[in-house]
Each structure stands twice: as structure tokens, then as C-alpha cells.
Amino acid sequence: MSDFSASESDYEPSEEEEQEDSDTDEEAEGDQSSEGSCSADIESEYSTASSTGNRNRRKSHAAATNGTRAAGAPSTAAPKLAIPVPASLPARGPGRPSRAAASKHSAPPDLQYIVQSDDYFSTFAVGGKSVTSDHTLDRLQTPRLPQDVLLRLLEDTSGTNRAHAAAVQELLDDHSRQFARWLFLLDQGYSVLLYGLGSKRTLLQSFHHRALADRPVLVVNGFFPSLTVKDVLDAVANDLLELQLPTALHHEAIDEIERELACQPDLHVFLLVHNLDGVAMRADRMQATLARLASLPNLHLVATIDHINAPLLWDASKLAQYNFCWWDTTTLLPYGVETAFENSLLVQNAGALALSSMASVYASLTSNARGIFMAIVRHQLEQGGPAHPHYPGMPLKDLYWACREAFLVSSDIALRAQLTEFTDHKLLRIKRSLDGSENLHIPIEHGLLKRFVEETAKKV
């Protein structure tokens, strides 16, 4: 048997294989014509790889056929390895969008919205009606009560529960047993600070009468709104120590007090402060003065606080001078005296300050300015009040013609000059409505305006 080796030139494809190759080439050409320029390059690479794979398959098929014919004869040609052919990409139809375009159109509209905070204020600008309740105290038959009537009602209400009164008295008795400890802390150089829920004025007064009856004591009412540093220094230097010092210069007065106490080491002065966190006591100068006085060896401080943010008044330097020993003295007593100087919605003289300031400004006006202001007051009393909670104010044009008929002003410029004086003294507010017109409103409640008119009529 003669040797036979198959070569690539000896293989001739059959008619069926040629038909398959031609069909594959036509499909590749159709795919290339349907794609764009970029897609045509990609498809041409895959079709070239497909053609190469077909030739390799023909070669391997020819080698296998010749090997079968040889029936185990040795082969001199190197074996051909099959190259894997990647699957061809599916052709994109004419109506199918690209992936980038599909992702752009399929994105939800919320992802393309950019939040801008300034648009909120421009969209919801002030101009609409504020939805507020009109259930005010002015709608009551007796919207305000005298001070004595209110106190009497509160006392009657507090005395109804005997169990509560007995529990409060038990608390006061427990705190009274600690007076000896407070004196020991004061003797050791500490300042006693009383805190807790309820008024501690009664407890501090009891400590004064029972433990400090024969000692020089100065009581400072910190809840008094007009208390000043000069008042405290005058009481310490001139009333207790009888130095007769001018206390206009605070540092010099404190230096003189320190020298006087140093000369009398056996003299111990006690300073009892009700509401160390009161409105008049929150100034930095007042706290610095009291802290320096508390740092003196012969002066002992016992104070009370009621505000939850009272410790924010003191920095590290003041705390070092105060040298507080904190003592919880919850009494559950009402703050009757401490709140007596504050405005209350239930008290009849709650707007006395606003009424007096308006009366003083009104007295300094000219006769024409008084007429203009009273025209606004009368219009607000007639058109406003509890019956009209959404009263916008008196239109400027109505005020102009009313003053023109009363010979109060001669032009719009003169009227606006008088209104500017009212707005400077906080007696009038000018609001612009949605249609552009200007409305005039007096920012004082209806009851106070009535009292103002009545008092003005009495003076005339």
C-alpha cells in the first residue's frame, strides 16, 4: 500500500457546502447593508471570522475524509486546530432604537428634575391669607380680669386639693432640715445654688428667718425688671457696710468693698438672690459683678434659678468665682410673685406699657397729625375687632379723601410724610395687598384701642 497524505489543494468542496457558504455570505452582506457606518465595521469583522471558520471546517473535513480513506495510514501533515467562531450579533431592525437612545427615553421624569430651593419662596410667596384661628380672648364677654380678681381665683383653685397642699408642705419640711448643711457649705467657701420645679422664694425666706436672723443679710429680687448693678452695689457698700461710696464706677466700688471686708475678717455678709437668672440679671455686667462679690471670702451667696437654660449665663471664669454647690429643692409651688411683673393675657393691665407709649407719642404730635391718627383709629374700631378677624386695614386712598375733606392735608406727599412719622414710632404698619393698593393697620389689639380713645376723650 502506497503512502497518501491529504493536502489542502486536494480537497474539493461539494455542491451542498458551496450552497451553504453562499447563503452565509449573503446573510453577512445583508447585515452589513442594514447597519450604519460603525455597525458595518463590526459586522465585517464577524463575517470575516465566519468565513475563516468555514474554510477551517472544510480543511478539517477533508483531512478527516482522507484519513478514513487511508485507514490508519500515518499522516505527515500537522493537525489543524479548530478556531472557535463567535456567534454573530442579531441584526437590529429598522424600527429598533439604540441602547443609548432607549435608556434616554426610558428614564423617569423625576431623575431629570433639579431641585432649586429658591423656587419654593418664589412659588409660595407671601400674599395669600394666613389660615389662623379667630378664637381669641377679645371674643369673650370679659376678655381681661383685674389683677386682684385673677390672684383670688388662682388661690381658690390651689386650695381645693388638700392632699396636694400636704405633699408640698412635706417637701418644704424636708428642705428645711438641710439648712445646717447649707451653712456648712457657705462656711467652706461654696455658694449654694437652689434649683428645681416650683417657686423657691418661700424656702429662701424661711432660711433667712431661721438660720440668718442675727447676721447681716442683703436680699436681691432678681425678678424685678428695673434692677441694675448700681442698685446691688449701693445696697452692699452703703446699706450693709456703711461706706457711703459713689458706685458709678463698678470696679472701684467692688475694690473698696473687698478692702473693707479684708479689714474685718470676722464680719460675714450673706447675699440672698431670688432668681439669679431673671430678666434683669442676665446682663454680662450683672453676672460679672455678682461673681466677683461671691468670690470674696467674707461674702456668702445663696441664689435660686428657674430657667432651664440658666447655666448658659456663666463661662468657666464665672463658674470658678461662683464655686456653686447645686442643691435640688423642688417645691411645686406656683410662681406668683416672680411672674407679677410680666405681661399676662388674662390681666386687664397687660397692655399698659403699649398704651402708655402710644399716649406719649400721641401727645407729642401736631393737631393735624393727631386728626390723621384718630381717623385711622376710628376706622379700625368700626371695621375691625373680633367681628372682623381678617381686617386688612384702612385703604390709603380712603384716608386721603377723609383727611382732605377735614382740611388736615393738602396733598398726598404731606399725608405720606405724616404716615412716615407713625411708622417710625411703631404705631402704624403699611401693607400692600394683591391688587397693589396700600392698607394702613395699627398693630394694637382692639381692647387697647378702645381704652386709648376713652382716655383721650377724657383729657380733652
Side-chain angles (χ1 to χ4, degrees):
M1 179 180 294
S2 61
D3 294 337
F4 179 79
S5 61
S7 61
E8 185 177 355
S9 59
D10 296 335
Y11 173 71
E12 294 182 1
S14 60
E15 295 180 0
E16 295 178 357
E17 293 176 350
E18 291 179 354
Q19 184 66 27
E20 292 178 358
D21 295 341
S22 61
D23 294 341
T24 304
D25 296 338
E26 290 175 0
E27 291 178 0
E29 292 174 359
D31 294 340
Q32 294 175 2
S33 62
S34 63
E35 296 294 334
S37 59
C38 180
S39 300
D41 297 338
I42 298 174
E43 293 294 336
S44 62
E45 294 178 0
Y46 282 104
S47 18
T48 304
S50 178
S51 302
T52 306
N54 292 334
R55 287 196 298 269
N56 292 334
R57 286 197 299 271
R58 288 198 297 269
K59 293 177 182 180
S60 60
H61 180 70
T65 304
N66 294 333
T68 303
R69 292 175 185 175
S75 175
T76 59
K80 302 290 185 178
L81 298 177
I83 301 175
V85 180
S88 59
L89 294 175
R92 186 183 296 126
R96 182 180 179 182
S98 62
R99 182 178 299 176
S103 62
K104 182 184 297 185
H105 292 292
S106 62
D110 295 340
L111 298 179
Q112 300 178 4
Y113 176 72
I114 300 175
V115 179
Q116 296 180 359
S117 59
D118 295 340
D119 294 344
Y120 176 85
F121 299 99
S122 60
T123 304
F124 302 98
V126 178
K129 291 184 178 180
S130 60
V131 182
T132 56
S133 176
D134 57 351
H135 297 285
T136 59
L137 293 175
D138 292 333
R139 299 184 62 181
L140 300 177
Q141 295 181 356
T142 56
R144 297 291 185 271
L145 296 175
Q147 181 73 25
D148 55 348
V149 175
L150 179 62
L151 293 178
R152 179 169 50 83
L153 292 176
L154 292 177
E155 290 177 358
D156 295 342
T157 304
S158 61
T160 55
N161 194 345
R162 297 181 179 179
H164 176 70
V168 169
Q169 186 61 40
E170 185 178 356
L171 283 175
L172 293 176
D173 295 340
D174 291 339
H175 297 322
S176 300
R177 299 186 185 98
Q178 309 298 326
F179 288 167
R181 294 187 178 183
W182 296 0
L183 287 176
F184 174 75
L185 292 173
L186 294 175
D187 184 66
Q188 296 301 316
Y190 292 94
S191 298
V192 178
L193 184 64
L194 308 180
Y195 69 96
L197 182 61
S199 174
K200 292 161 284 294
R201 182 173 176 271
T202 304
L203 181 63
L204 197 56
Q205 286 179 343
S206 178
F207 175 72
H208 178 200
H209 297 308
R210 294 171 57 178
L212 304 176
D214 54 347
R215 309 279 183 95
V217 179
L218 175 64
V219 179
V220 178
N221 294 319
F223 50 82
F224 194 69
S226 60
L227 184 66
T228 61
V229 179
K230 187 178 183 300
D231 297 335
V232 176
L233 293 179
D234 282 338
V236 174
N238 300 328
D239 296 343
L240 288 180
L241 302 180
E242 298 180 355
L243 297 178
Q244 303 301 324
L245 293 176
T247 57
L249 300 178
H250 302 158
H251 294 287
E252 294 181 0
I254 296 176
D255 293 340
E256 189 65 28
I257 293 172
E258 185 176 3
R259 284 191 293 267
E260 181 65 22
L261 291 177
C263 295
Q264 303 181 25
D266 297 334
L267 178 62
H268 293 272
V269 179
F270 292 86
L271 185 61
L272 306 183
V273 181
H274 296 282
N275 291 94
L276 186 59
D277 54 347
V279 177
M281 310 290 289
R282 297 174 186 175
D284 185 71
R285 181 176 297 179
M286 176 69 78
Q287 291 294 329
T289 301
L290 292 176
R292 188 175 176 188
L293 290 176
S295 65
L296 301 179
N298 297 25
L299 196 145
H300 310 286
L301 174 66
V302 181
T304 64
I305 58 173
D306 293 298
H307 202 282
I308 191 174
N309 294 325
L312 298 178
L313 295 173
W314 312 306
D315 54 10
S317 177
K318 293 185 180 64
L319 287 175
Q321 291 178 328
Y322 275 124
N323 196 17
F324 282 132
C325 180
W326 296 69
W327 207 276
D328 184 5
T329 56
T330 299
T331 61
L332 301 179
L333 291 175
Y335 297 96
V337 180
E338 291 86 346
T339 58
F341 297 94
E342 297 187 6
N343 293 332
S344 176
L345 296 176
L346 299 177
V347 181
Q348 191 172 7
N349 60 349
L353 182 61
L355 189 62
S356 61
S357 61
M358 184 170 59
S360 61
V361 173
Y362 179 80
S364 63
L365 298 176
T366 62
S367 59
N368 290 346
R370 293 178 186 178
I372 296 172
F373 185 73
M374 290 304 298
I376 303 174
V377 171
R378 286 191 294 268
H379 186 276
Q380 184 165 335
L381 291 177
E382 295 173 359
Q383 304 296 330
H388 303 85
H390 300 292
Y391 171 69
M394 183 178 184
L396 180 60
K397 59 179 182 180
D398 296 347
L399 176 64
Y400 172 72
W401 289 112
C403 296
R404 186 73 178 268
E405 293 176 358
F407 300 100
L408 297 176
V409 293
S410 58
S411 63
D412 180 76
I413 299 176
L415 177 61
R416 291 185 179 273
Q418 295 293 342
L419 296 180
T420 302
E421 185 176 0
F422 297 157
T423 55
D424 291 342
H425 289 90
K426 309 298 181 181
L427 295 179
L428 188 68
R429 290 180 182 176
I430 301 177
K431 298 181 180 180
R432 189 176 297 274
S433 60
L434 296 177
D435 57 354
S437 61
E438 294 176 323
N439 297 325
L440 310 176
H441 177 72
I442 300 175
I444 297 176
E445 60 182 15
H446 190 75
L448 290 180
L449 279 180
K450 282 187 176 180
R451 291 177 55 187
F452 172 73
V453 174
E454 294 174 357
E455 293 180 0
T456 305
K458 292 179 181 179
K459 294 179 181 179
V460 175

